[in-house]
């Protein structure tokens, strides 16, 4: 992970409201990276949401993000997973 990606994920978590970050913790086990810039997050109801980095911006296919409410729990779950991976590589 580049320092630019790390900064992006940190920005996501700092920008998201606390309640969204808390809800993201329930999805940490449901994140699967499918390409360099795309992840699938499985919801509790079985729906798959796609989180992507497009031109330096993080997007999600969920309704919360589509309504332009900001970073969603799926994006925060991906951010947390990616930052944890980085921490393990640095340790």
């Amino acid at each position: 992970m580049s320092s630019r990606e790390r900064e992006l994920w940190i920005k996501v978590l700092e920008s998201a409201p606390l309640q969204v970050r808390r809800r993201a913790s329930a999805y940490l086990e449901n994140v699967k990276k499918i390409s360099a810039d795309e992840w699938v997050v499985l919801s509790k109801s079985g729906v798959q949401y796609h989180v992507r980095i497009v031109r330096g911006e993080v997007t999600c296919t969920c309704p919360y993000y589509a309504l332009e409410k900001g970073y969603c729990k799926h994006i925060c779950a991906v951010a947390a997973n990616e930052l944890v991976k980085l921490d393990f590589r640095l340790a």
Side-chain angles (χ1 to χ4, degrees), residues 69-88:
K69 293 186 175 185
Y71 294 124
C72 62
K73 60 191 173 191
H74 311 105
I75 291 174
C76 289
V78 169
N81 270 316
E82 291 299 305
L83 288 170
V84 166
K85 286 179 190 177
L86 176 66
D87 286 346
F88 277 116

